Amino acid sequence: MGEAPILKHSIAEYLESEEKSLEKHEFYRGEIFAMAGASIQHNQIVRNALFEVETHLRKGGDCQILPSNLKIHSEVNSLFTYPDLSIICGEIETLENHNDVVTNPTILIEVLSESTQDYDRGGKFKLYRDIPSLKEYILISSLETLVEKYNKQDDGTWILHEYKNENDLLPIPTINMQVEVKSLYRDVVLKSSN
């Protein structure tokens, strides 16, 4: 017996079902994937990053940070996903007739867990790179003190910088900001610290 065929869905079917769903799902090339819940550490890091960036952005400028209930869509490759945090600079562009789907994020922030870290670093980042407006991609581990930041260069290549010390300063040049790594881990008890 062969494998069961994978049921493919249209974008319209996905968006319609997502409006009615109590759970969040990602979409890629006709397949729909349920999203798992997140640990206390994951949620604490998201809270801390949101607070630090929002505090900075309130000083002025045309950027805003939005939490994970907002879908990001890459029109080039059909991806719909819910990053932990999205920073959008300038006017927010949405998918036609869907004000819960943004197509022009400037910075995306993902908090890594054991089950998502490989996808967030690899396949998902490859798909995110197709978003023309994206300038920075920040990954914050919930397993260890580690922040990985990718910056898009003028020639379209991406450069990785790692921050492993809590006293490191994480620069986010797109929004003219620096944040201490330890502030992202405020109140977080990492499993390796137990």
Side-chain angles (χ1 to χ4, degrees):
M1 300 204 41
E3 292 182 30
I6 297 172
L7 183 61
K8 297 286 186 175
H9 302 273
S10 70
I11 289 175
E13 288 171 333
Y14 163 72
L15 292 170
E16 183 179 340
S17 68
E18 200 68 358
E19 283 179 15
K20 299 172 186 170
S21 178
L22 298 177
E23 300 172 342
K24 294 188 286 189
H25 300 84
E26 295 188 344
F27 176 92
Y28 178 59
R29 291 191 174 169
E31 293 185 59
I32 296 174
F33 306 91
M35 295 182 65
S39 69
I40 292 169
Q41 293 86 350
H42 180 114
N43 282 288
Q44 289 170 324
I45 293 167
V46 170
R47 176 205 60 205
N48 293 342
L50 177 63
F51 173 80
E52 294 294 334
V53 174
E54 175 65 17
T55 300
H56 172 77
L57 294 178
R58 284 181 181 260
K59 297 174 186 173
D62 68 344
C63 298
Q64 57 185 299
I65 186 166
L66 298 169
S68 66
N69 282 331
L70 181 70
K71 284 187 280 301
I72 296 296
H73 175 50
S74 171
E75 296 177 90
V76 172
N77 59 40
S78 83
L79 178 72
F80 285 85
T81 187
Y82 292 88
D84 289 309
L85 295 166
S86 303
I87 300 172
I88 299 108
C89 297
E91 186 176 338
I92 295 176
E93 297 173 13
T94 60
L95 187 64
E96 187 176 327
N97 300 319
H98 294 278
N99 72 348
D100 62 338
V101 181
V102 170
T103 59
N104 67 324
T106 308
I107 301 170
L108 294 175
I109 300 172
E110 295 280 11
V111 176
L112 303 176
S113 66
E114 198 161 349
S115 63
T116 66
Q117 63 183 346
D118 291 340
Y119 177 55
D120 287 342
R121 285 183 176 121
K124 185 182 270 187
F125 181 40
K126 183 176 185 295
L127 297 171
Y128 280 162
R129 291 193 306 259
D130 286 337
I131 302 172
S133 61
L134 190 63
K135 295 182 180 177
E136 294 185 64
Y137 183 49
I138 300 170
L139 301 164
I140 307 168
S141 177
S142 67
L143 307 171
E144 61 181 318
T145 302
L146 174 63
V147 180
E148 299 162 90
K149 183 175 65 80
Y150 292 87
N151 286 86
K152 186 176 184 179
Q153 306 302 296
D154 291 338
D155 65 0
T157 59
W158 290 81
I159 294 183
L160 167 65
H161 297 276
E162 291 184 335
Y163 305 88
K164 298 179 180 180
N165 186 305
E166 66 175 22
N167 293 318
D168 286 343
L169 281 176
L170 167 68
I172 310 175
T174 303
I175 56 172
N176 196 27
M177 176 184 181
Q178 288 190 102
V179 61
E180 288 184 317
V181 168
K182 67 182 167 190
S183 68
L184 299 174
Y185 288 96
R186 182 174 49 87
D187 300 328
V188 178
V189 177
L190 298 170
K191 289 183 180 181
S192 61
S193 302
N194 289 344

